[in-house]
Amino acid sequence: MTAAGSAGSRAAAGTSSRLPGWLRNPTVQFVLRRLGYSLVVLLGVIIVVFTMLHLVPGDPIRVALGTRFTQSSYDALLERSGLDRPLIVQFFSYLGGVFTGDLGVSFRSGRSVTDLLLQRLPATASLAAVAILIALVIAIPAGIYSALREGRASDAIVRVTSQFGVSVPDFWLGVLLIMLFAAVLGWLPSYGYTALTEDPLDWARHVILPGATSGLVAAAIITRYVRSAVLEVKSSGYVRTARSKGLAPRTVLSRHIVRNALIPILTITGIQLATILSGLMVVEVVFAWPGLGRLIYDSVEARDYPVVQGGVLLVAALFLLVNFVVDVLYAVVDPRIRLS
């Protein structure tokens, strides 16, 4: 090592030694790095969404007023929204509001965007939770079962079924489920929402169809990844060694195969949960589910800039939060990742 390199190493070591003890912990450093990456990405999302919405042609103030348009009301809403100021001033004003929880005021309703989003968030969160739960309950047993019976007829059935599920669009599957369980059988409602805290039973009746629509598509994708992960681990040397020692098949499966396949399974589960959160707009529109997706859809039609910005920002933040949690779970499952 050169003298300069040695001096640099000593300087880095000295800087590290001056940090508090908890900051020198590899796990804490790993979490802080991932948190920093997430904040940078979130800032990029804010810039992109703000820029794209302001490039869309049309006058959002005129659209928001509709038949109530008068020059005085137009000027008042223009000044209140801040759209009469230079674009760069608008951006930094919005950025400051984001970090203080102030996302502006809706052009249409005049209500706080933060309040509107928080009002819709429970519906979307409960739907996403049900969807990923349905996906995991189906995908994990199906993927393991298929991998353990590689090359057999049951394996082929699982693979063909999962391929079909991957190819089906959400909206088409939702229409099929409505036709079967709502229109033909009459077992479940095809639209509407009841809060979980108000009536859990009625909430369950309303959430099953939209939750299954998103969950079945996600289950098909996760099944294929679970199968691949289990197949890869099953053929590894330590699994063959465990079997040669005479361990029971159930012990080999639980302690060696499933445990070591957790990281790729966590990866795809996190990706699918984030995908469900960001892609619920179509499902919420089909089932008239009053969540964030439906709110963003209606706001895009009405050119309600503050609500669209706030909604997309919240969905992006949830997406990043899911990925951040998955990264932390990586470090729990495999401590070697903390050093990467």
Side-chain angles (χ1 to χ4, degrees):
M1 179 182 293
T2 64
S6 177
S9 299
R10 288 195 300 270
T15 303
S16 177
S17 64
R18 290 195 296 269
L19 293 174
W22 64 274
L23 277 177
R24 293 198 297 270
N25 186 293
T27 303
V28 173
Q29 293 181 354
F30 173 83
V31 171
L32 290 177
R33 284 199 304 271
R34 293 299 186 269
L35 185 60
Y37 298 156
S38 299
L39 290 176
V40 171
V41 173
L42 189 60
L43 178 61
V45 170
I46 294 173
I47 295 173
V48 170
V49 172
F50 181 88
T51 304
M52 290 185 65
L53 284 176
H54 282 75
L55 290 176
V56 174
D59 188 340
I61 304 296
R62 183 67 179 86
V63 173
L65 290 174
T67 57
R68 299 171 296 155
F69 172 81
T70 62
Q71 191 59 45
S72 59
S73 62
Y74 180 90
D75 294 338
L77 185 55
L78 184 66
E79 182 179 359
R80 188 179 69 180
S81 65
L83 293 178
D84 57 336
R85 294 178 291 177
L87 194 60
I88 189 67
V89 176
Q90 293 182 44
F91 173 73
F92 281 106
S93 175
Y94 181 73
L95 189 62
V98 169
F99 288 107
T100 58
D102 181 11
L103 299 177
V105 178
S106 169
F107 290 165
R108 289 190 302 167
S109 64
R111 295 180 56 190
S112 165
V113 173
T114 303
D115 291 343
L116 286 173
L117 296 177
L118 292 178
Q119 181 182 354
R120 299 292 189 101
L121 181 59
T124 294
S126 62
L127 178 55
V130 170
I132 197 65
L133 180 62
I134 291 174
L136 292 177
V137 167
I138 295 172
I140 292 179
I144 295 174
Y145 178 85
S146 178
L148 296 179
R149 288 158 177 78
E150 183 184 10
R152 302 181 185 178
S154 53
D155 176 33
I157 292 173
V158 172
R159 286 189 288 117
V160 170
T161 304
S162 63
Q163 183 61 48
F164 176 77
V166 170
S167 307
V168 174
D170 287 1
F171 70 90
W172 188 73
L173 179 59
V175 171
L176 289 181
L177 293 178
I178 289 174
M179 291 175 60
L180 177 60
F181 292 101
V184 177
L185 299 176
W187 292 352
L188 297 168
S190 61
Y191 64 92
Y193 167 75
T194 300
L196 177 61
T197 54
E198 294 179 4
D199 189 341
L201 184 59
D202 197 47
W203 168 83
R205 292 181 64 251
H206 283 87
V207 80
I208 288 176
L209 288 184
T213 299
S214 295
L216 290 175
V217 174
I221 298 172
I222 297 175
T223 298
R224 299 173 68 84
Y225 278 86
V226 172
R227 180 182 180 275
S228 298
V230 172
L231 281 176
E232 182 178 353
V233 174
K234 189 179 72 167
S235 60
S236 60
Y238 56 83
V239 172
R240 291 195 297 269
T241 301
R243 286 172 175 164
S244 66
K245 290 181 177 180
L247 293 180
R250 182 174 297 180
T251 302
V252 174
L253 176 64
S254 60
R255 293 186 181 179
H256 297 280
I257 296 179
V258 174
R259 183 174 181 178
N260 287 284
L262 274 180
I263 288 184
I265 292 174
L266 279 174
T267 302
I268 189 59
T269 300
I271 292 173
Q272 284 305 304
L273 177 56
T275 302
I276 287 171
L277 283 169
S278 59
L280 279 178
M281 182 183 297
V282 173
V283 175
E284 290 184 355
V285 170
V286 169
F287 289 93
W289 190 265
L292 292 174
R294 182 63 184 268
L295 177 64
I296 295 172
Y297 176 83
D298 293 339
S299 300
V300 168
E301 285 191 324
R303 302 277 181 87
D304 197 344
Y305 282 178
V307 178
V308 175
Q309 286 177 330
V312 173
L313 179 60
L314 179 57
V315 171
L318 293 173
F319 192 102
L320 292 171
L321 176 62
V322 169
N323 283 283
F324 174 74
V325 171
V326 171
D327 283 342
V328 173
L329 290 177
Y330 285 171
V332 173
V333 174
D334 188 351
R336 294 171 298 178
I337 297 178
R338 302 172 194 171
L339 304 176
S340 61

